[in-house]
């Protein structure tokens, strides 16, 4: 059935609603995203650099799949992973002007975000849920 969308003034198909009820990830998903980390990216606030993560890809991916499965099941992210430190640009560390407003994010958060983005994009593509525009 075609219905006019009064907010966007275009026609689109209304189909049976499709809901994402769970996001299923695998160790291979985490391994793939670990491979995609640039080799010389800046270390995160936890001091885990990309070389370490890449060289320990299999055990790190296994651990991340367990941690993030629990996070998805409980809808919670550990507080320690939500913090980020601002980047010091030089000069006195006492002055706020010597810090960039950009903060470093933990590599394990970036990996998780990429795995979830991939799963959601795949779900949307499989169910033809992308905006036609």
């Amino acid at each position: 059935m075609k219905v006019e969308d009064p907010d966007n003034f275009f026609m689109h198909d209304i189909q049976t609603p499709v809901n994402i009820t769970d996001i299923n990830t695998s160790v291979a998903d985490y391994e793939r995203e670990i491979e995609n980390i640039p080799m010389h990216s800046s270390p995160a606030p936890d001091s885990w650099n990309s070389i370490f993560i890449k060289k320990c890809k299999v055990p790190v991916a296994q651990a991340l799949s367990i941690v993030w499965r629990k996070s998805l099941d409980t809808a919670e992210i550990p507080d320690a992973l939500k913090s980020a430190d601002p980047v010091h640009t030089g000069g006195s560390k006492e002055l706020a002007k010597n810090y960039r407003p950009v903060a470093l994010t933990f590599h394990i958060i970036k990996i998780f975000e990429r795995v979830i983005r991939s799963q959601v994009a795949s779900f949307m593509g499989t169910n033809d849920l992308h905006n036609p525009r």
Side-chain angles (χ1 to χ4, degrees):
M1 160 171 73
K2 293 260 188 194
V3 170
E4 186 173 338
D5 184 339
D7 295 327
N8 294 318
F9 300 105
F10 72 91
M11 301 295 284
H12 64 275
D13 288 327
I14 300 290
Q15 299 175 359
T16 305
V18 179
N19 296 315
I20 190 164
T21 57
D22 196 9
I23 296 175
N24 294 309
T25 63
S26 68
V27 172
D29 294 327
Y30 291 95
E31 288 177 357
R32 181 187 65 247
E33 294 307 332
I34 288 170
E35 279 298 316
N36 291 331
I37 296 173
M39 186 62 88
H40 298 290
S41 62
S42 298
D46 59 4
S47 299
W48 283 34
N49 65 42
S50 57
I51 296 169
F52 169 78
I53 293 171
K54 287 170 112 32
K55 289 197 181 262
C56 300
K57 174 178 70 175
V58 173
V60 168
Q62 290 169 342
L64 290 180
S65 71
I66 294 167
V67 168
W68 290 122
R69 178 74 261 158
K70 183 173 181 182
S71 179
L72 287 169
D73 291 343
T74 62
E76 294 179 10
I77 294 176
D79 287 337
L81 297 177
K82 294 182 200 176
S83 66
D85 296 329
V87 177
H88 183 253
T89 58
S92 172
K93 290 188 176 188
E94 307 285 322
L95 299 174
K97 71 177 185 175
N98 293 330
Y99 290 87
R100 286 191 298 163
V102 176
L104 296 173
T105 305
F106 292 93
H107 285 299
I108 60 175
I109 288 281
K110 291 178 191 176
I111 293 165
F112 176 63
E113 289 172 346
R114 290 176 184 144
V115 167
I116 297 303
R117 180 183 63 226
S118 174
Q119 293 290 322
V120 170
S122 175
F123 174 83
M124 291 180 70
T126 300
N127 293 287
D128 197 28
L129 297 175
H130 292 287
N131 188 333
R133 286 181 135 182

